[in-house]
Amino acid sequence: MAYIDGVLVPVPVAEQENYAAWTARVSPLFLEYGATRVFDGWGDDIKDGKINDMRTAVVAAQQENVVFSWIEWPSKAVRDEGWEKLMADPRMNESGQPPFDGTRMIFGGFAPIVDISIKNGNPS
């Protein structure tokens, strides 16, 4: 069964292009080590919550935006092995310093409980 890594990270608005370039450099490594998809989305419609929201969850400053990312893997076993190889791959360090404060990044692994999509016009 598929497995998903989910990520929220605050990125300075002025660093949007640098973030996109950085993630374009590292994302192919995830695919090389077994991921089937890497997605990064720049916050476009993030509402303020009454108690918590995406911005407060990552302690985003006024001049920062939230990036929502996920990495799809065919299974948790492939994901665990892939991450181990990624962390040992020197190309990860060669990709440059990420343009965000990683100490405020929130991430975790998720086992799907519902997975419905439209393919060729039919729910699957």
Side-chain angles (χ1 to χ4, degrees):
M1 175 178 275
Y3 198 79
I4 307 295
D5 280 316
V7 181
L8 285 179
V9 63
V11 177
V13 171
E15 296 290 331
Q16 181 179 4
E17 287 183 23
N18 289 334
Y19 179 85
W22 176 81
T23 196
R25 286 191 302 274
V26 300
S27 293
L29 298 176
F30 284 84
L31 298 176
E32 181 178 328
Y33 289 119
T36 57
R37 183 178 184 195
V38 177
F39 175 90
D40 286 279
W42 188 256
D44 182 55
D45 186 16
I46 299 174
K47 306 286 191 244
D48 291 337
K50 293 184 184 199
I51 296 174
N52 198 2
D53 56 44
M54 288 183 163
R55 294 187 56 77
T56 58
V58 294
V59 193
Q62 185 65 33
Q63 70 279 9
E64 292 179 318
N65 198 0
V66 177
V67 171
F68 173 56
S69 304
W70 72 80
I71 305 159
E72 296 178 14
W73 303 88
S75 67
K76 186 174 189 301
V78 171
R79 176 262 204 166
D80 291 347
E81 184 177 323
W83 270 108
E84 187 175 326
K85 290 177 180 177
L86 276 162
M87 294 299 100
D89 191 320
R91 293 176 294 174
M92 286 296 286
N93 291 330
E94 295 166 5
S95 67
Q97 182 68 28
F100 58 84
D101 178 1
T103 64
R104 294 181 286 138
M105 177 172 54
I106 298 172
F107 57 91
F110 298 85
I113 56 173
V114 174
D115 184 359
I116 301 170
S117 63
I118 299 292
K119 294 183 182 178
N120 300 322
N122 299 312
S124 62

Short mmCIF file of all heavy atoms in Angstrom, two decimals, residues 1-8 30-31 34-40 68-80 83 106-117:
data_model
loop_
_atom_site.label_atom_id
_atom_site.label_comp_id
_atom_site.label_asym_id
_atom_site.label_seq_id
_atom_site.Cartn_x
_atom_site.Cartn_y
_atom_site.Cartn_z
N MET A 1 0.84 -1.18 0.00
CA MET A 1 0.00 0.00 0.00
C MET A 1 0.88 1.24 0.00
O MET A 1 1.94 1.26 0.59
CB MET A 1 -0.91 -0.01 1.22
CG MET A 1 -1.72 1.27 1.33
SD MET A 1 -2.86 1.28 2.71
CE MET A 1 -4.23 0.45 1.96
N ALA A 2 0.43 2.29 -0.65
CA ALA A 2 1.18 3.55 -0.74
C ALA A 2 1.45 4.13 0.64
O ALA A 2 0.78 3.79 1.62
CB ALA A 2 0.39 4.55 -1.58
N TYR A 3 2.44 5.00 0.69
CA TYR A 3 2.80 5.69 1.92
C TYR A 3 3.15 7.13 1.55
O TYR A 3 3.70 7.38 0.48
CB TYR A 3 4.01 5.00 2.58
CG TYR A 3 4.17 5.36 4.03
CD1 TYR A 3 3.38 4.77 5.00
CD2 TYR A 3 5.11 6.30 4.41
CE1 TYR A 3 3.52 5.11 6.33
CE2 TYR A 3 5.26 6.64 5.75
CZ TYR A 3 4.46 6.04 6.70
OH TYR A 3 4.60 6.37 8.03
N ILE A 4 2.80 8.06 2.42
CA ILE A 4 2.96 9.48 2.12
C ILE A 4 3.78 10.16 3.23
O ILE A 4 3.52 9.97 4.41
CB ILE A 4 1.59 10.21 2.06
CG1 ILE A 4 0.63 9.51 1.10
CG2 ILE A 4 1.76 11.69 1.73
CD1 ILE A 4 1.04 9.52 -0.34
N ASP A 5 4.76 10.97 2.82
CA ASP A 5 5.42 11.89 3.74
C ASP A 5 4.78 13.25 3.51
O ASP A 5 4.69 13.72 2.37
CB ASP A 5 6.92 11.99 3.45
CG ASP A 5 7.71 10.85 4.04
OD1 ASP A 5 7.43 10.48 5.19
OD2 ASP A 5 8.60 10.32 3.35
N GLY A 6 4.31 13.89 4.58
CA GLY A 6 3.72 15.21 4.50
C GLY A 6 4.60 16.23 5.20
O GLY A 6 5.20 15.93 6.24
N VAL A 7 4.68 17.44 4.62
CA VAL A 7 5.58 18.48 5.14
C VAL A 7 4.90 19.83 5.08
O VAL A 7 4.26 20.18 4.08
CB VAL A 7 6.88 18.53 4.31
CG1 VAL A 7 7.83 19.58 4.86
CG2 VAL A 7 7.55 17.18 4.22
N LEU A 8 5.05 20.62 6.14
CA LEU A 8 4.72 22.05 6.15
C LEU A 8 6.00 22.78 6.52
O LEU A 8 6.67 22.40 7.49
CB LEU A 8 3.66 22.38 7.20
CG LEU A 8 2.23 22.00 6.95
CD1 LEU A 8 1.37 22.42 8.15
CD2 LEU A 8 1.69 22.66 5.70
N PHE A 30 14.67 11.94 -4.69
CA PHE A 30 13.60 11.16 -4.08
C PHE A 30 13.06 10.14 -5.07
O PHE A 30 12.83 8.98 -4.71
CB PHE A 30 12.46 12.08 -3.61
CG PHE A 30 12.78 12.84 -2.35
CD1 PHE A 30 13.48 14.03 -2.40
CD2 PHE A 30 12.37 12.35 -1.13
CE1 PHE A 30 13.78 14.73 -1.24
CE2 PHE A 30 12.65 13.04 0.04
CZ PHE A 30 13.36 14.22 -0.01
N LEU A 31 12.87 10.56 -6.32
CA LEU A 31 12.38 9.64 -7.34
C LEU A 31 13.40 8.53 -7.60
O LEU A 31 13.02 7.37 -7.78
CB LEU A 31 12.07 10.40 -8.63
CG LEU A 31 10.99 11.47 -8.51
CD1 LEU A 31 10.85 12.22 -9.83
CD2 LEU A 31 9.67 10.90 -8.07
N GLY A 34 13.03 5.75 -5.04
CA GLY A 34 11.79 5.01 -4.91
C GLY A 34 10.50 5.79 -4.80
O GLY A 34 9.43 5.22 -4.90
N ALA A 35 10.57 7.11 -4.56
CA ALA A 35 9.33 7.89 -4.50
C ALA A 35 8.67 7.88 -5.88
O ALA A 35 9.35 7.81 -6.91
CB ALA A 35 9.61 9.33 -4.06
N THR A 36 7.36 7.96 -5.89
CA THR A 36 6.64 7.98 -7.16
C THR A 36 6.16 9.38 -7.53
O THR A 36 5.80 9.63 -8.68
CB THR A 36 5.42 7.03 -7.11
OG1 THR A 36 4.58 7.41 -6.02
CG2 THR A 36 5.88 5.58 -6.94
N ARG A 37 6.17 10.29 -6.55
CA ARG A 37 5.74 11.66 -6.81
C ARG A 37 6.27 12.57 -5.71
O ARG A 37 6.28 12.19 -4.54
CB ARG A 37 4.21 11.74 -6.84
CG ARG A 37 3.68 13.12 -7.17
CD ARG A 37 2.16 13.12 -7.24
NE ARG A 37 1.68 14.42 -7.66
CZ ARG A 37 0.43 14.83 -7.54
NH1 ARG A 37 -0.47 14.01 -7.02
NH2 ARG A 37 0.06 16.02 -7.93
N VAL A 38 6.68 13.77 -6.11
CA VAL A 38 7.06 14.82 -5.16
C VAL A 38 6.24 16.05 -5.53
O VAL A 38 6.21 16.46 -6.69
CB VAL A 38 8.57 15.14 -5.22
CG1 VAL A 38 8.92 16.27 -4.27
CG2 VAL A 38 9.40 13.89 -4.92
N PHE A 39 5.56 16.62 -4.55
CA PHE A 39 4.72 17.80 -4.79
C PHE A 39 5.09 18.89 -3.79
O PHE A 39 5.21 18.62 -2.59
CB PHE A 39 3.24 17.43 -4.61
CG PHE A 39 2.32 18.62 -4.71
CD1 PHE A 39 1.79 18.99 -5.93
CD2 PHE A 39 2.01 19.38 -3.59
CE1 PHE A 39 0.95 20.10 -6.02
CE2 PHE A 39 1.18 20.48 -3.68
CZ PHE A 39 0.65 20.84 -4.90
N ASP A 40 5.27 20.10 -4.28
CA ASP A 40 5.46 21.28 -3.43
C ASP A 40 4.45 22.33 -3.85
O ASP A 40 4.36 22.66 -5.03
CB ASP A 40 6.87 21.85 -3.59
CG ASP A 40 7.93 21.01 -2.91
OD1 ASP A 40 8.08 21.16 -1.70
OD2 ASP A 40 8.59 20.21 -3.59
N PHE A 68 3.37 23.60 1.40
CA PHE A 68 2.78 22.30 1.72
C PHE A 68 3.35 21.31 0.72
O PHE A 68 3.25 21.51 -0.50
CB PHE A 68 1.26 22.38 1.60
CG PHE A 68 0.54 21.07 1.74
CD1 PHE A 68 0.71 20.28 2.86
CD2 PHE A 68 -0.32 20.64 0.76
CE1 PHE A 68 0.03 19.07 2.99
CE2 PHE A 68 -1.01 19.44 0.87
CZ PHE A 68 -0.83 18.66 1.99
N SER A 69 3.97 20.27 1.21
CA SER A 69 4.62 19.30 0.33
C SER A 69 4.22 17.89 0.72
O SER A 69 3.92 17.63 1.88
CB SER A 69 6.15 19.40 0.45
OG SER A 69 6.59 20.70 0.18
N TRP A 70 4.26 17.02 -0.27
CA TRP A 70 4.15 15.61 0.05
C TRP A 70 4.99 14.80 -0.92
O TRP A 70 5.29 15.23 -2.02
CB TRP A 70 2.71 15.11 0.10
CG TRP A 70 1.98 14.99 -1.20
CD1 TRP A 70 2.08 13.97 -2.10
CD2 TRP A 70 1.01 15.89 -1.72
NE1 TRP A 70 1.22 14.19 -3.15
CE2 TRP A 70 0.57 15.36 -2.95
CE3 TRP A 70 0.47 17.09 -1.28
CZ2 TRP A 70 -0.38 16.00 -3.73
CZ3 TRP A 70 -0.47 17.72 -2.06
CH2 TRP A 70 -0.89 17.17 -3.26
N ILE A 71 5.39 13.65 -0.42
CA ILE A 71 6.17 12.71 -1.21
C ILE A 71 5.43 11.38 -1.15
O ILE A 71 5.13 10.89 -0.06
CB ILE A 71 7.59 12.54 -0.64
CG1 ILE A 71 8.28 13.90 -0.53
CG2 ILE A 71 8.41 11.57 -1.49
CD1 ILE A 71 9.42 13.93 0.44
N GLU A 72 5.09 10.86 -2.31
CA GLU A 72 4.38 9.58 -2.38
C GLU A 72 5.39 8.46 -2.61
O GLU A 72 6.30 8.59 -3.43
CB GLU A 72 3.37 9.59 -3.53
CG GLU A 72 2.27 10.60 -3.35
CD GLU A 72 1.29 10.63 -4.52
OE1 GLU A 72 1.30 9.70 -5.37
OE2 GLU A 72 0.51 11.59 -4.61
N TRP A 73 5.20 7.40 -1.87
CA TRP A 73 6.04 6.21 -1.97
C TRP A 73 5.14 5.00 -2.21
O TRP A 73 3.99 4.99 -1.78
CB TRP A 73 6.81 5.98 -0.67
CG TRP A 73 7.66 7.12 -0.24
CD1 TRP A 73 7.28 8.19 0.54
CD2 TRP A 73 9.03 7.34 -0.54
NE1 TRP A 73 8.34 9.03 0.75
CE2 TRP A 73 9.43 8.54 0.10
CE3 TRP A 73 9.99 6.62 -1.27
CZ2 TRP A 73 10.73 9.03 0.02
CZ3 TRP A 73 11.28 7.11 -1.35
CH2 TRP A 73 11.64 8.31 -0.72
N PRO A 74 5.65 3.94 -2.85
CA PRO A 74 4.82 2.75 -3.06
C PRO A 74 4.49 2.01 -1.77
O PRO A 74 3.49 1.31 -1.70
CB PRO A 74 5.63 1.88 -4.01
CG PRO A 74 6.94 2.52 -4.21
CD PRO A 74 6.93 3.85 -3.54
N SER A 75 5.35 2.15 -0.74
CA SER A 75 5.11 1.48 0.54
C SER A 75 5.97 2.13 1.61
O SER A 75 6.91 2.88 1.30
CB SER A 75 5.48 -0.02 0.44
OG SER A 75 6.88 -0.15 0.27
N LYS A 76 5.66 1.84 2.86
CA LYS A 76 6.48 2.36 3.96
C LYS A 76 7.88 1.78 3.91
O LYS A 76 8.86 2.47 4.19
CB LYS A 76 5.82 2.07 5.31
CG LYS A 76 6.56 2.74 6.46
CD LYS A 76 5.82 2.55 7.77
CE LYS A 76 6.40 3.38 8.90
NZ LYS A 76 7.79 3.13 9.21
N ALA A 77 8.00 0.51 3.52
CA ALA A 77 9.32 -0.12 3.44
C ALA A 77 10.20 0.59 2.40
O ALA A 77 11.37 0.87 2.66
CB ALA A 77 9.18 -1.60 3.10
N VAL A 78 9.62 0.91 1.23
CA VAL A 78 10.37 1.64 0.20
C VAL A 78 10.74 3.03 0.72
O VAL A 78 11.85 3.51 0.52
CB VAL A 78 9.58 1.72 -1.12
CG1 VAL A 78 10.25 2.65 -2.12
CG2 VAL A 78 9.40 0.34 -1.71
N ARG A 79 9.81 3.67 1.41
CA ARG A 79 10.07 5.00 1.98
C ARG A 79 11.20 4.95 2.99
O ARG A 79 12.12 5.76 2.97
CB ARG A 79 8.80 5.54 2.62
CG ARG A 79 8.96 6.86 3.31
CD ARG A 79 9.14 6.67 4.80
NE ARG A 79 8.75 7.87 5.53
CZ ARG A 79 8.56 7.90 6.81
NH1 ARG A 79 8.68 6.81 7.54
NH2 ARG A 79 8.23 9.01 7.42
N ASP A 80 11.16 3.99 3.92
CA ASP A 80 12.21 3.90 4.94
C ASP A 80 13.58 3.66 4.31
O ASP A 80 14.56 4.31 4.68
CB ASP A 80 11.88 2.78 5.94
CG ASP A 80 10.67 3.11 6.81
OD1 ASP A 80 10.23 4.27 6.83
OD2 ASP A 80 10.18 2.17 7.47
N TRP A 83 14.65 6.94 2.34
CA TRP A 83 15.15 8.01 3.21
C TRP A 83 16.56 7.71 3.71
O TRP A 83 17.41 8.59 3.81
CB TRP A 83 14.21 8.25 4.39
CG TRP A 83 13.16 9.26 4.11
CD1 TRP A 83 11.83 9.04 3.91
CD2 TRP A 83 13.34 10.67 3.97
NE1 TRP A 83 11.17 10.22 3.67
CE2 TRP A 83 12.08 11.24 3.70
CE3 TRP A 83 14.45 11.51 4.04
CZ2 TRP A 83 11.90 12.61 3.50
CZ3 TRP A 83 14.27 12.88 3.84
CH2 TRP A 83 13.01 13.41 3.58
N ILE A 106 7.44 21.03 9.88
CA ILE A 106 6.64 19.96 10.47
C ILE A 106 6.53 18.86 9.41
O ILE A 106 6.22 19.14 8.25
CB ILE A 106 5.23 20.45 10.85
CG1 ILE A 106 5.32 21.55 11.91
CG2 ILE A 106 4.37 19.30 11.34
CD1 ILE A 106 3.99 22.21 12.20
N PHE A 107 6.79 17.62 9.80
CA PHE A 107 6.72 16.54 8.83
C PHE A 107 6.34 15.25 9.52
O PHE A 107 6.47 15.10 10.74
CB PHE A 107 8.06 16.37 8.09
CG PHE A 107 9.23 16.12 8.99
CD1 PHE A 107 9.62 14.84 9.33
CD2 PHE A 107 9.94 17.18 9.52
CE1 PHE A 107 10.69 14.62 10.17
CE2 PHE A 107 11.02 16.98 10.36
CZ PHE A 107 11.40 15.70 10.69
N GLY A 108 5.86 14.32 8.73
CA GLY A 108 5.50 13.02 9.27
C GLY A 108 5.09 12.08 8.16
O GLY A 108 4.84 12.49 7.03
N GLY A 109 5.05 10.78 8.49
CA GLY A 109 4.64 9.76 7.55
C GLY A 109 3.20 9.35 7.79
O GLY A 109 2.74 9.30 8.93
N PHE A 110 2.51 9.05 6.70
CA PHE A 110 1.08 8.76 6.77
C PHE A 110 0.72 7.53 5.97
O PHE A 110 1.10 7.40 4.80
CB PHE A 110 0.27 9.95 6.23
CG PHE A 110 0.47 11.21 7.02
CD1 PHE A 110 1.54 12.05 6.75
CD2 PHE A 110 -0.39 11.53 8.04
CE1 PHE A 110 1.73 13.21 7.48
CE2 PHE A 110 -0.20 12.68 8.79
CZ PHE A 110 0.87 13.52 8.51
N ALA A 111 -0.03 6.64 6.60
CA ALA A 111 -0.59 5.47 5.92
C ALA A 111 -1.99 5.86 5.45
O ALA A 111 -2.83 6.26 6.25
CB ALA A 111 -0.66 4.29 6.88
N PRO A 112 -2.26 5.78 4.15
CA PRO A 112 -3.57 6.17 3.64
C PRO A 112 -4.71 5.34 4.24
O PRO A 112 -4.56 4.13 4.44
CB PRO A 112 -3.46 5.91 2.14
CG PRO A 112 -2.00 5.93 1.85
CD PRO A 112 -1.35 5.39 3.08
N ILE A 113 -5.81 6.02 4.54
CA ILE A 113 -7.00 5.32 4.98
C ILE A 113 -8.14 5.49 3.97
O ILE A 113 -9.06 4.71 3.95
CB ILE A 113 -7.46 5.74 6.40
CG1 ILE A 113 -7.68 7.24 6.49
CG2 ILE A 113 -6.43 5.29 7.43
CD1 ILE A 113 -8.27 7.72 7.80
N VAL A 114 -8.05 6.54 3.14
CA VAL A 114 -8.97 6.74 2.03
C VAL A 114 -8.14 7.30 0.88
O VAL A 114 -7.34 8.20 1.08
CB VAL A 114 -10.11 7.74 2.37
CG1 VAL A 114 -10.96 8.03 1.13
CG2 VAL A 114 -10.97 7.21 3.50
N ASP A 115 -8.31 6.76 -0.31
CA ASP A 115 -7.55 7.23 -1.48
C ASP A 115 -8.49 7.15 -2.68
O ASP A 115 -8.65 6.08 -3.26
CB ASP A 115 -6.30 6.37 -1.68
CG ASP A 115 -5.43 6.86 -2.81
OD1 ASP A 115 -5.77 7.87 -3.48
OD2 ASP A 115 -4.40 6.21 -3.07
N ILE A 116 -9.12 8.25 -3.00
CA ILE A 116 -10.08 8.30 -4.10
C ILE A 116 -9.60 9.36 -5.09
O ILE A 116 -9.21 10.44 -4.69
CB ILE A 116 -11.50 8.68 -3.59
CG1 ILE A 116 -11.97 7.65 -2.58
CG2 ILE A 116 -12.46 8.81 -4.77
CD1 ILE A 116 -13.24 8.04 -1.85
N SER A 117 -9.59 9.02 -6.35
CA SER A 117 -9.15 9.98 -7.35
C SER A 117 -9.98 9.79 -8.62
O SER A 117 -10.69 8.81 -8.77
CB SER A 117 -7.66 9.81 -7.66
OG SER A 117 -7.41 8.54 -8.21
#
